[in-house]
Amino acid sequence: MALYSEKVMDHFTNPRNVGKIDDADGVGEVGNAKCGDIMKIYLKIDENQIITDVKFNTFGCASAIASSSMATCLIKGKPVSEAIELSNKAVIEALDGLPPVKIHCSVLAEEAIKAAVKDYYDRNGISYDPAMFEEKDIHE
Ligand code: FES
C-alpha cells in the first residue's frame, strides 16, 4: 500500500485555500516543537458566526499541508461552533488516513483552527469555556 492516500497527495500537490486574509476576524498560529512545523489559519466570520472564508499558510511536511488544506475545506461555510468541534480524527478520515507517525500533523490543523476561533472570541468579547481550547496530548 502506498504510504499516502490519493487524497493526501491531491491536497498536498494542489492545496485548497492557501494564503492570507488581511482583514481576518480570527487568526491562529500553532507549531510543533518536535518537528518545527508551523501552521497559520485565517478566518473570515460573518455576523451569524458563519465562516465565510478561510485561508492557511503552512511551513511543514506534506501531511501538515494536506491536513490544513482538508481542514479548511471542512470548515468553510460552517458555523464557528462546528469548526471548533473539528477533530484531527475527522481530518484524517477525510484524507483516507495518514501514517501513524504523521498523526501529529493533523493535530496541528485542529489546533490552528481552535486558536483562530479563540482569537475571534477574544477580539469580540465572546465568553467561552477555556477547556475547549486545551491542548491535546499526542501519543504516537
Ligand atoms: Fe511536523 Fe508533519 S512532521 S507537522
Side-chain angles (χ1 to χ4, degrees):
M1 199 187 99
L3 187 59
Y4 292 112
S5 71
E6 268 177 40
K7 276 198 191 155
V8 172
M9 290 311 294
D10 176 32
H11 279 263
F12 169 54
T13 52
N14 178 27
R16 319 323 189 247
N17 305 310
V18 175
K20 182 181 177 203
I21 301 175
D22 285 327
D23 59 343
D25 299 301
V27 180
E29 182 172 338
V30 293
N32 182 294
K34 263 200 220 160
C35 64
D37 291 347
I38 295 171
M39 193 180 289
K40 200 163 180 177
I41 298 252
Y42 302 83
L43 300 175
K44 196 78 198 139
I45 299 164
D46 74 5
E47 62 284 0
N48 298 316
Q49 297 203 6
I50 303 292
I51 297 169
T52 54
D53 200 8
V54 47
K55 294 262 187 279
F56 80 89
N57 260 313
T58 293
F59 300 94
C61 70
S63 301
I65 290 167
S67 293
S68 4
S69 170
M70 180 55 88
T72 58
C73 292
L74 292 171
I75 64 166
K76 199 167 182 175
K78 299 274 168 58
V80 169
S81 55
E82 260 182 57
I84 211 171
E85 297 286 320
L86 182 75
S87 67
N88 74 300
K89 216 170 150 245
V91 174
I92 294 172
E93 273 168 22
L95 286 171
D96 290 339
L98 278 176
V101 294
K102 292 289 176 183
I103 300 300
H104 77 272
C105 317
S106 63
V107 173
L108 222 46
E110 176 188 323
E111 288 181 344
I113 290 171
K114 284 192 171 142
V117 170
K118 184 173 181 297
D119 181 44
Y120 162 74
Y121 284 163
D122 288 341
R123 288 190 201 192
N124 291 280
I126 300 169
S127 57
Y128 54 83
D129 176 2
M132 291 193 304
F133 299 106
E134 271 166 18
E135 276 185 27
K136 276 193 171 184
D137 249 350
I138 311 163
H139 302 285
E140 287 174 30

